[in-house]
Amino acid sequence: MKDTNCIFCKIANGEIPSKTLYEDDKFRVILDLGPASKGHALILPKEHYANLYELPDETAGEVMKLAKKMAVQMTERFGCEGFNLVQNNGELAGQTVFHFHMHLIPRYKDDGQKIGWKPQEVTQEELEAVVKCFGAEE
Ligand code: AMP
Ligand code: ZN
């Protein structure tokens, strides 16, 4: 299904031009217009899924396989020294375009980017409570 109001549907399906690194019948990989680094790209499914929760299992598997393939090729061709795969899921997590996409961010020495989080202190009891909350306690 496509969403007629969705810009990534239009880009993924070629109705709006983009700088495309890869395309097949299910995906298009485009360069991000606000890149974190040289080669920052986005994997877009051609079908509209707003987020990870909506993504079919089969498509989720294909996204990860494609991410690996792209990471290998981009590392060879751009000469990056590391890679971040990022998927912002939900507004609170930083998602701004509500058509599922995976960020492929090549990393270079001194690229000035810092992608991460602030580690918090945690006790064994707190970790155990999380396991219990998840429902995985023995
Ligand atoms: P997110 O915040 O994870 O939803 O990421 C959205 C990303 O899409 C951002 O990195 C934007 O720079 C990028 N973006 C938004 N519009 C376009 C566009 N028309 N073409 C390419 N990238 C875009
Ligand atoms: Zn869409």
Side-chain angles (χ1 to χ4, degrees), residues 7-8 11 30-34 40 42 88 94-97 101 103:
I7 185 164
F8 278 8
I11 292 173
I30 65 164
L31 290 181
D32 194 298
L33 283 186
H40 179 169
L42 305 170
N88 298 322
Q95 187 175 5
T96 58
V97 181
H101 52 282
H103 293 260

Side-chain angles (χ1 to χ4, degrees), residues 12-33:
N13 292 282
E15 291 163 40
I16 293 179
S18 61
K19 295 285 182 281
T20 295
L21 297 184
Y22 174 84
E23 185 187 4
D24 62 26
D25 56 332
K26 291 183 85 169
F27 299 100
R28 183 185 293 268
V29 181
I30 65 164
L31 290 181
D32 194 298
L33 283 186

